[in-house]
Amino acid sequence: MKNFLIIVLCFFGTYTFAQSTISGTIVDQFKNPIPGANILIAGTSIGATTDFDGKYEFTTQLSGSQELKVSFIGYFSQTKKISLTGNTTVNFILVESVESLDDVVLTATSAKRSQKETPLSITSFGAKQLSQKNTSSQADILKSVPGITTENGGGEVASNVFVRGLPSGGQFQFNPLQIDGMPVLSTFGLNSSAHDVYFRSDIGMKSLEFVRGGSSVLYGVGSVAGIINYTSETGSANSKNILKIETGTKSHNKAQFLSSGSVGGEDSNLFYAFSGSYRYDEGPIETGLPTEGYQFRGNIKKVTDNGSITVSGQYIDDQVQFFLPYPLEGGTRNRPIGNDGKKIMTLQTAAASGISYKTPNGIYSSPIEDGVSTKGGYIMVNFLHNFNEDLKLDAKIRTSKYAHQFNLFLDGSGIGGAKVVETQAEYLAQRGLSSGTFTYLNGEPLAANARLFENRILDRDRPISEMVSEIKLTKTAGNHTITGGTFMSRSEAGDFNVITSYLGEYNDQPQLINLSGYTKNGVTNRGAGYTNRNIKSNKTAIFLTDEIKLDKWNFDIGLRYETVSGRIENEKSASQIADNTGISQLDNVVWGTGEFQKGNVSADDFAVALAGLYKVNNNLSVYGNVSSGYFFPELRSVKFDALGKTASYKPEKIKQAEVGLKYGAEKFSGTLATYLVALKDRRSVNFINNPNGPGLIEEIKVLNTSSVGVEATANYKLSDAFSVNGGLTLQKHEVTKSESNPALEGNKLVRQPNFMNKLGLAYEKASIDGNIDYGFAGDKYANDANTIKLDGYGVIDLNFGYTMSVGKNDETVRLGFQSFNLFNSEGITEGSPRLGDNQTDEEFFVGRPIMPRTVLFSATFKF
């Protein structure tokens, strides 16, 4: 015991030698202080971070000639030689940069090091870059990240984000979305809502990092493919106020603000930052349904003698419409022409918003007009404390609660054998009707040659709440930065789903149609489907990492162990008589019986990550990483057998490896890497049409997949004003094993292209800035059977701005122009998820086109 105490004291103890104090100030070229910049003595982990006035100070026992290096996201790093013979003052002026790989990494690491020194693939954006992107959709922000395919065909939320080498997970399954180091939600699979429905990016974001593979599987919530982490602005002694106003096509109007500063006088150590937005529009595609909402975020930070305490929060109240695939022209797959001779942009309609009917529990009114509706928020507290120069605590705790609905229009009747678009004669014959009269709801007869489109609305009520915490203790000992920590979460969610069928004309934003003796108020089937779940999840993880920094080598080693338990309550449903219209499919509804199947599942697993980097010289590094991780299956996919017992619940396994080069100099930076991804026992959950009726059933496939690829990125500063950037990903992927259908083996992964590239040109000089970006995703398949091929497509975005002074003290206004899909390019992002492997090319093809061109004009005031 005595020896053990001696070892502990030696590890955590501190010693007193002759020390030098290094201090100074770091500002940008406009003399504005840069808070959060990192200063290190080269070749060591000794350094500090600037405070809110851009000031820093630290002590060291080193002596003699040393190099002091400073770096910050979006700026060129600088190095100055110093002589440590006593107290020293060193000031820096940083210059904004094209990506030079000298940005300090904030995500999935505990040591202060640049991208060039980190053995992982990393992409980062600073506040200026984020402010120039379209913040309406995560897809629009993330599509410039190499190795990512994003789809915004669904609109502003529920972006499908596909990471290189992995199956079609979409909606942030494999890459958690974080704000300030904490996941938006800690558990995917309590329902199928994407995590971006719970928050909106705004001008209060300071930076964005996407860290892929490697140690990203270890920290915090853990990951499979990587972590997307936003960092919020915090206040400083210099106040900052930004107001951005936008107007654009489809009656788009949006206002955003950011205000930050100190509370009190010059010597105050209390700082604030608040941001928010309000928007109203008619959607990227007009539906006649509301698209409106607001969000407020903020933080208050108390700087202590040895760290800080930050309280942050968010409140959101937002409604937006979500777009699923719909019937396009067969063959060309262009947007179709309706009965009225006009192009159909959407078959979603406000006419369906008044649907209501009797059920065993009373009158049910569809909330379809609310679309994707989210109301609620979170409160988080972050404690940072330095016990001494070598021992630091980072503890976060957050509670969140959201009332959330994800209501949507499906892509057809779901009736087996029925065409997705039908003539009136076909409609009658398919339903076994000998005759009938088709009219609008006001009694006006439908033209005899008018086609019909029967569709379903799926109403989904999904409240969710959770408590999440993470505690990390970091010890610096010589060349080692050792971090031990724990992550815990408890989540509860409901998932209530009702399907209703209705009949409409085949026009843009169609009117509802009645068929005599078969419908009422356009409704063809009441309560066509019903599910109701309550799910609870508990997670506990511990992790230990060591980041080793040597003269030429950097190594990362880490382990993670995690346990998860879940309780699932599924309500049974049955067809029940609820009305007496005399029409069978209206009088009988599928509804809950009030009896629940209940069960518990649990699982645990380990993750390990190893990585190394060799610094060939100041500009060139060679790196490699390998990791073995896991992914717990979605709790909503847990099934019960005939005896009411839960089916097997075991983790999915993932192995990743990457080897590459990183080069960063003043004018050029780039990366080149090859990677391997293998996923075992992947439980793919899809909602497909029920062959026995108009409802949906869950289809679960267990697959093994494998991918290999090459990825390259480049940034080059052509002149003081012009710079170019680009990325290229080539990959080969396949299904290596399918338990239920061996015929799928050898097929390509769903919605993963073999080829992706990004290319951008940027200009910035004096008062003018602008950039034009091109992104291309190659051919891909819409289903596991590989029977539906989707052609590749490219999209060009344009952003331009002119900044001028409008007052004293560097007060400015930037007048901006922005266009997504500048040339109104066409392409299909997916086929019909409801038809799955049964989809074929017919007279009408069910698919989801990319969004049409949008144009925005903005004015951004800084004062």
Side-chain angles (χ1 to χ4, degrees), residues 173-188:
Q173 271 196 43
F174 295 132
N175 40 284
L177 195 59
Q178 294 191 163
I179 301 176
D180 298 324
M182 289 290 270
V184 173
L185 285 180
S186 66
T187 303
F188 189 91

Side-chain angles (χ1 to χ4, degrees), residues 327-454:
L328 309 173
E329 288 182 358
T332 65
R333 299 180 182 175
N334 293 330
R335 294 185 187 270
I337 302 300
N339 298 332
D340 57 5
K342 298 179 181 179
K343 182 180 290 189
I344 298 177
M345 298 300 293
T346 179
L347 287 167
Q348 299 181 192
T349 174
S353 61
I355 288 177
S356 64
Y357 49 86
K358 292 181 179 180
T359 75
N361 291 343
I363 299 296
Y364 175 78
S365 298
S366 170
I368 186 64
E369 70 173 328
D370 294 336
V372 183
S373 171
T374 305
K375 182 184 291 187
Y378 71 82
I379 296 176
M380 183 171 79
V381 182
N382 185 190
F383 298 90
L384 295 174
H385 185 76
N386 301 324
F387 294 103
N388 54 49
E389 186 176 299
D390 300 326
L391 186 61
K392 301 176 182 179
L393 173 71
D394 182 352
K396 303 182 183 77
I397 184 169
R398 190 200 66 207
T399 180
S400 57
K401 186 174 184 178
Y402 297 94
H404 168 58
Q405 296 180 0
F406 202 123
N407 310 306
L408 48 82
F409 291 81
L410 295 176
D411 56 15
S413 68
I415 296 176
K419 293 182 178 180
V420 66
V421 179
E422 301 169 279
T423 65
Q424 295 171 38
E426 288 170 339
Y427 188 90
L428 292 171
Q430 183 60 43
R431 288 150 185 82
L433 303 173
S434 59
S435 64
T437 302
F438 294 94
T439 63
Y440 291 94
L441 299 191
N442 62 5
E444 179 185 345
L446 182 69
N449 63 346
R451 295 186 181 226
L452 300 166
F453 176 63
E454 183 174 353

